[in-house]
Amino acid sequence: MTARVRGRFAPSPSGPLHAGSLVAALGSLLDARQQGGEWWVRIEDLDPPRSVPGAADAILRTLDAFGLHWDGPVLYQSHRLDRYQAALEQLRDRGLAYPCSCTRREIACGARPGCGGPVYPGYCRTGVRDPHRPSAIRLRTDHRLISFEDAVQGRHDQRLARDVGDFVIYRADGLFAYQLAVVIDDAEQGITQVVRGSDLLDSTPRQIYLQRVLGLATPRYAHLPVALDAHGHKLSKQNGAPALDPRHPGPALWAALCFLGQQPPRELARATPVTLLDWAQRHWRLERVPARAQRPWDGTRQGESTPVD
Ligand code: GLU
């Protein structure tokens, strides 16, 4: 049975939780709970070379230690390959997807720049160029406008054929692409609100397009500001963002609430996670979330951000 409102947090287990992922976890939880909805967790472990052994369990333990308790079973993408395969076959049978043998270098030579990378020039659209190479599978795109109203970032438009080109839904190394898996899982889990980092904003039109061709519902989207380090780089496992300390959840939760523009009262600066989360659930206002980070994330000042009296 599908709840009226259901949000989700979908970490990739490429390392422990850090402040950047805490912002996405907390924002998605508060947005769902404040509307009386559920909050589910999905482990996006589709890419074995990037998955760190033990990271998924460590992420779940840290969420628990931070008081971020999920509903429903945790879904692991690695257990769902047959679902992705069925969707891929359906798209191929309908002539909407085709194999592509192009290498990154071949594409880069002939491609225009688009949103977030070269626009695929369509070399394999009418037949795979080199049948002896391992093929990816691409989805055919068109020039129709895909437009959606993001609850934090405002209106966002793309024409996929112009801005992205036919995009990969199955990789030449034999892995299902994130874009395909996320759409199938959000639909099957009955997700009504997708709240995540704004680094994924440009992926959303591809996901909406896939929802349309697969006949799936489109959730509401809210893309949160991305936490940056002092050099303006996204806090990420790759950039060496420190792991959250499960023994001291309060200061990081406080800092994440300040980052999300929620202005927790000063007297809660040293409160327990239960008290902080209780306050946050009752006072969460999505319209207060800024579109972009107001200042770099300074882990050393956690708990000292300017509180409102
Ligand atoms: N697995 C992605 C990540 O960890 C998030 C995907 C999503 O929220 O759609 O960055």
Side-chain angles (χ1 to χ4, degrees):
M1 209 193 348
T2 303
R4 206 162 38 90
V5 168
R6 185 177 290 165
R8 52 66 155 186
F9 174 53
S12 306
S14 50
L17 269 194
H18 54 81
S21 35
L22 176 65
V23 166
L26 183 63
S28 58
L29 174 132
L30 292 174
D31 183 63
R33 291 266 194 260
Q34 208 243 359
Q35 298 172 70
E38 296 179 354
W39 183 65
W40 288 37
V41 171
R42 178 167 77 231
I43 299 290
E44 300 209 323
D45 55 350
L46 267 189
D47 192 342
R50 291 191 56 215
S51 297
V52 172
D57 286 346
I59 289 172
L60 295 174
R61 279 197 306 273
T62 306
L63 289 174
D64 249 338
F66 274 66
L68 307 174
H69 305 302
W70 58 90
D71 303 293
V74 174
L75 193 82
Y76 290 81
Q77 288 192 321
S78 57
H79 298 175
R80 294 176 44 76
L81 305 186
D82 52 339
R83 300 302 178 95
Y84 311 141
Q85 184 65 37
L88 190 68
E89 278 165 22
Q90 189 210 126
L91 293 168
R92 287 196 69 172
D93 290 348
R94 291 165 60 200
L96 293 171
Y98 62 87
C100 167
S101 63
C102 296
T103 61
R104 269 180 216 276
R105 190 186 306 170
E106 284 167 348
I107 295 170
C109 282
R112 288 180 291 109
C115 299
V119 176
Y120 178 62
Y123 297 141
C124 292
R125 255 195 160 207
T126 51
V128 64
R129 288 222 296 195
D130 184 347
H132 303 296
R133 277 198 216 139
S135 294
I137 309 280
R138 289 182 183 271
L139 188 70
R140 285 181 203 280
T141 56
D142 60 34
H143 283 277
R144 275 177 292 188
L145 184 71
I146 299 196
S147 183
F148 69 101
E149 192 62 36
D150 185 88
V152 174
Q153 307 293 330
R155 179 154 298 277
H156 195 71
D157 295 329
Q158 266 181 21
R159 290 184 194 274
L160 289 180
R162 180 194 67 192
D163 299 327
V164 177
D166 298 345
F167 61 91
V168 171
I169 52 177
Y170 181 78
R171 293 164 31 173
D173 58 4
L175 300 176
F176 292 98
Y178 157 71
Q179 308 291 356
L180 179 69
V182 74
V183 161
I184 293 172
D185 291 343
D186 281 339
E188 257 183 53
Q189 289 191 293
I191 302 302
T192 60
Q193 342 272 111
V194 171
V195 178
R196 60 186 175 190
S198 61
D199 50 326
L200 289 166
L201 185 64
D202 278 340
S203 286
T204 304
R206 269 169 275 177
Q207 294 174 17
I208 293 175
Y209 180 71
L210 263 166
Q211 287 151 4
R212 289 180 186 166
V213 296
L214 291 169
L216 304 172
T218 293
R220 171 174 156 268
Y221 287 96
H223 286 86
L224 305 173
V226 164
L228 305 173
D229 66 17
H231 308 288
H233 301 126
K234 178 189 162 190
L235 285 190
S236 68
K237 295 149 196 162
Q238 290 75 15
N239 290 337
L244 293 172
D245 182 351
R247 291 164 310 169
H248 300 292
L253 279 172
W254 166 272
L257 284 172
C258 296
F259 180 84
L260 288 167
Q262 301 302 302
Q263 304 179 337
R266 185 190 291 277
E267 60 270 21
L268 294 188
R270 309 242 179 293
T272 62
V274 173
T275 308
L276 258 180
L277 286 170
D278 177 61
W279 178 89
Q281 247 160 258
R282 283 183 291 109
H283 294 88
W284 171 253
R285 298 254 303 272
L286 190 62
E287 62 276 21
R288 284 200 176 146
V289 176
R292 267 167 283 284
Q294 308 293 294
R295 61 178 77 89
W297 184 281
D298 181 356
T300 60
R301 292 186 66 245
Q302 285 177 6
E304 297 170 29
S305 317
T306 333
V308 164
D309 289 306

